[in-house]
Amino acid sequence: MSTIIAGHFQLQEETARARDALLAAGFPEARISTFFVNPPGQHNALDLGGDRDKSPGAKESDAGVAKGVAAGSAVGAVVGAATAPVTGPLGAVVGALVGGHVGSLYSFSHMKEAGEAEQGSIANEVEQRPSGMLVAVALGDTDDMLAQEQRAIDVLRQLGAHHIEEAEGNIIDGDWQDFNPLSLPVFITR
């Protein structure tokens, strides 16, 4: 495994310039990889598509709807029973059904809004890898590793990389073979 420095770009032309600049800075072509990273949630990690088996914002929805149905059914049954002299014996049953439906709808008002942070979510604590073009270079195993790392960071930064991250992996013949789009990136801020 090698240390990999990667920069994020939006345009394919920018990645071509970054690749040329890394070659000019002395990095071998076989250790440079360029590819597109899909937006979070669209990496088709599961057979049915997507990255997760349940939407992050919906993990508590089952419990919320169940509470709404239970509360609404209880209130509806009481109201239905109170109106039994007028509605007959089915009043309590119809009241419970209508109350359960209204209660389930009311529970939706307690769901999080789009873009609102979800409590306890890793995605809120750590920035996810953005989509776009990625140019990555594997550093060689030499004594001047820190100098190589800084040279790669400087080249990517000078060319306008939006994010620069550091990772461990293998780039062989221009292919980052063990790249995992779901891994949490380690962004370089220095």
Side-chain angles (χ1 to χ4, degrees):
M1 282 221 191
S2 302
T3 297
I4 295 176
I5 304 297
H8 297 260
F9 296 91
Q10 288 303 311
L11 302 175
Q12 198 163 2
E13 295 81 27
E14 294 173 326
T15 61
R17 283 194 298 274
R19 182 180 192 78
D20 291 343
L22 287 169
L23 288 169
F27 293 101
E29 185 173 5
R31 296 179 73 86
I32 300 172
S33 181
T34 304
F35 56 95
F36 182 78
V37 178
N38 288 335
Q42 297 181 12
H43 300 296
N44 292 331
L46 301 175
D47 291 338
L48 295 175
D51 299 338
R52 299 182 179 109
D53 59 350
K54 193 170 192 178
S55 295
K59 76 177 182 185
E60 296 171 2
S61 63
D62 295 342
V65 170
K67 286 179 188 176
V69 169
S73 295
V75 171
V78 169
V79 170
T83 61
V86 177
T87 60
L90 290 178
V93 173
V94 171
L97 290 173
V98 170
H101 177 69
V102 170
S104 72
L105 296 176
Y106 176 74
S107 69
F108 288 127
S109 69
H110 294 288
M111 293 179 143
K112 73 179 208 66
E113 295 295 323
E116 181 182 343
E118 182 178 346
Q119 293 178 331
S121 171
I122 290 178
N124 294 326
E125 298 167 16
V126 179
E127 188 175 351
Q128 294 182 341
R129 181 175 285 108
S131 68
M133 297 299 296
L134 190 71
V135 177
V137 60
L139 306 180
D141 299 326
T142 63
D143 294 335
D144 67 339
M145 187 94 133
L146 290 176
Q148 279 186 56
E149 182 177 344
Q150 193 58 53
R151 191 169 65 237
I153 292 169
D154 290 344
V155 166
L156 294 172
R157 196 166 276 145
Q158 288 170 0
L159 292 169
H162 298 285
H163 296 87
I164 298 175
E165 67 177 90
E166 182 175 2
E168 294 291 320
N170 296 304
I171 295 179
I172 300 171
D173 295 328
D175 180 28
W176 188 347
Q177 296 183 336
D178 49 0
F179 175 74
N180 180 2
L182 302 179
S183 66
L184 296 176
V186 179
F187 292 115
I188 296 174
T189 56
R190 62 182 186 278

